[in-house]
Amino acid sequence: NSGTGLNEYRTEAAGGHAFYKGTETTSKLIISSGGNVGIGTTTPSSYWAGGNNLVVYEAGHAGITIAASTGAYECSLAFADGTSGADAYRGLIRYNHPSNYMEFYTNGSSRMLISSDGSVGINNSSPGGTKFSVHTTTPYEWTGEFKSTAANCYGLAINTLTAAGVYNLGCYTHTGTGFFVKNDGKVGIGTTGPDAPLAILGETGLGI
């Protein structure tokens, strides 16, 4: 044992090291003989083996904060399997304070971004203009899928509770104009402004 006064450091009987505050009998921080670190707990190794290198415990709400000195910097949590190149950040969660966006990496590359206004981009670092944007550059790959295997399941519900002139669904082609459903129920194929329950516009006018 060593230390006196407000704080005390002790070598525990089990071979670990503990730090105490004043005359308290429960340690504030412990390093077990196996190298597990516990803050607020004396038994960090009793937690899930895949995540007990560092355990922070509190009887009530618990949390960890990563803080930058000013809003000019970023805060990151990296998952590494090496020390060089992208191995040092194979997985990464990063918060950019200057632009207030959060970014998620897998396999060393950015995969998802949540912008300051809450827009989400998957494989799209600039999801502005839409709240959810998914991009792919892989040939013959579907961009998205909604699938339910439950009994009596439903598909996809799209609901815009605003004026009748607003689009409820839009499917774009490489030329821009594809298939549209307005909030008043009118459907347009080849036109963004259907004026009938079903409006089909070909290259030379209406047609099927």
Side-chain angles (χ1 to χ4, degrees):
N1 296 354
S2 64
T4 58
L6 295 179
N7 301 295
E8 186 175 358
Y9 157 74
R10 302 177 191 172
T11 300
E12 300 292 279
H17 306 276
F19 298 84
Y20 294 79
K21 180 179 179 181
T23 59
E24 292 183 1
T25 57
T26 301
S27 66
K28 295 299 183 183
L29 183 148
I30 188 170
I31 304 174
S32 71
S33 59
N36 305 82
V37 178
I39 299 175
T41 176
T42 60
T43 57
S45 58
S46 65
Y47 289 84
W48 176 54
N52 65 2
N53 297 91
L54 171 63
V55 177
V56 178
Y57 173 83
E58 177 58 56
H61 299 295
I64 297 175
T65 297
I66 301 175
S69 60
T70 70
Y73 302 103
E74 296 181 344
C75 293
S76 300
L77 177 63
F79 305 87
D81 54 19
T83 58
S84 62
D87 288 345
Y89 54 90
R90 278 296 161 195
L92 180 70
I93 301 173
R94 178 171 68 179
Y95 192 86
N96 180 285
H97 288 283
S99 298
N100 286 312
Y101 65 78
M102 180 167 282
E103 197 169 13
F104 299 83
Y105 280 54
T106 62
N107 198 25
S109 297
S110 177
R111 305 299 184 186
M112 185 173 78
L113 183 143
I114 304 175
S115 67
S116 60
D117 68 353
S119 299
V120 177
I122 297 179
N123 289 331
N124 177 16
S125 60
S126 302
T130 177
K131 284 300 180 185
F132 183 65
S133 175
V134 181
H135 285 189
T136 181
T137 58
T138 304
Y140 310 109
E141 178 181 69
W142 291 102
T143 304
E145 178 185 30
F146 295 89
K147 183 178 181 179
S148 175
T149 58
N152 304 316
C153 59
Y154 294 167
L156 175 65
I158 302 174
N159 197 350
T160 52
L161 301 176
T162 53
V166 177
Y167 295 112
N168 203 310
L169 175 65
C171 300
Y172 290 84
T173 68
H174 68 284
T175 59
T177 303
F179 172 84
F180 297 88
V181 179
K182 295 181 69 176
N183 211 28
D184 60 3
K186 294 183 174 66
V187 177
I189 299 177
T191 175
T192 60
D195 55 4
L198 175 61
I200 302 174
L201 181 63
E203 293 183 359
T204 59
L206 297 177
I208 297 178

